[in-house]
Amino acid sequence: MRSVYVSSKVESRIGSLKRAGKAGAALAHKASRIIESLTSGAVCHHMDAIASYTKYGEKRIKNCRKYDLGCGYRLITLQRGAKVFIPFFGTHDECQRWLEGNSRLKDFNAGAGRTIRVIKKKPAKIISRMSEDADSIEDDRNFFKHLTDTDLRRVFSGLVQGAKYQSQQS
């Protein structure tokens, strides 16, 4: 995804919940966390965001996702091409009414709100990506051929320093 659009109604609802006590602040925090995970660049699709979805999902609108925030609140997202829209945030009943009113929605008119450009995060180093895959590789003799002496020195010096640090802590 390239951009995330957050409706002004969603932002005002988050703001009002922040001022509505502990439960409201917790709901506002959960909604903000979902928006942050979508805009961080680590998520490629709105369905990969950090949060729990509703039990049966949402089938009335194509590429729509309902997030269950607890206390009867839901956050609705729509993906249209490379854009993710967050058009509604409210109680379960309010979301049901919004979905019923927009069930034949094909194109989404953004209206007032804020658009956040998403910049994809690239892996920091090839070595870190390779180490994540190392657990799944069992007997591949060519696995370490691409490593240079500099890479190996860096890894082993880090291991030695870590061992020294642990022995000093004991």
Side-chain angles (χ1 to χ4, degrees):
M1 82 185 86
R2 292 189 189 135
S3 63
V4 176
Y5 166 80
V6 183
S7 167
S8 60
K9 291 179 182 178
V10 171
E11 289 184 326
S12 67
R13 188 68 173 264
I14 289 172
S16 65
L17 280 171
K18 281 181 182 176
R19 297 182 296 273
K22 262 187 176 176
L27 287 169
H29 179 72
K30 285 180 184 180
S32 297
R33 257 188 38 224
I34 293 170
I35 294 168
E36 286 172 19
S37 74
L38 288 169
T39 58
S40 70
V43 176
C44 295
H45 196 274
H46 74 126
M47 293 185 178
D48 298 331
I50 302 170
S52 61
Y53 308 125
T54 54
K55 189 173 183 180
Y56 297 106
E58 186 49 54
K59 294 186 171 85
R60 289 173 273 198
I61 302 174
K62 189 176 181 179
N63 290 325
C64 177
R65 178 58 79 182
K66 257 189 331 190
Y67 293 94
D68 183 7
L69 302 177
C71 298
Y73 276 80
R74 308 282 190 265
L75 180 73
I76 297 174
T77 63
L78 304 169
Q79 183 150 4
R80 299 293 183 259
K83 295 179 182 178
V84 172
F85 297 93
I86 305 174
F88 199 81
F89 174 42
T91 65
H92 179 270
D93 293 338
E94 291 169 341
C95 286
Q96 290 296 94
R97 284 192 293 274
W98 188 90
L99 288 164
E100 287 170 9
N102 294 287
S103 64
R104 297 190 186 270
L105 186 70
K106 291 196 185 348
D107 293 327
F108 184 72
N109 185 5
R114 175 174 59 122
T115 301
I116 305 164
R117 187 172 172 203
V118 177
I119 300 171
K120 276 191 175 181
K121 290 186 177 179
K122 295 180 181 177
K125 295 187 182 216
I126 294 173
I127 295 173
S128 64
R129 185 178 58 212
M130 297 291 289
S131 65
E132 292 172 5
D133 296 337
D135 296 334
S136 64
I137 298 172
E138 291 182 12
D139 193 305
D140 189 359
R141 300 196 190 281
N142 295 326
F143 181 70
F144 294 106
K145 276 190 173 180
H146 73 282
L147 293 176
T148 64
D149 287 340
T150 307
D151 295 332
L152 293 173
R153 281 191 200 107
R154 185 178 304 142
V155 168
F156 288 114
S157 69
L159 291 172
V160 169
Q161 288 175 355
K164 285 180 183 177
Y165 178 76
Q166 282 185 337
S167 66
Q168 290 173 353
Q169 297 297 322
S170 301

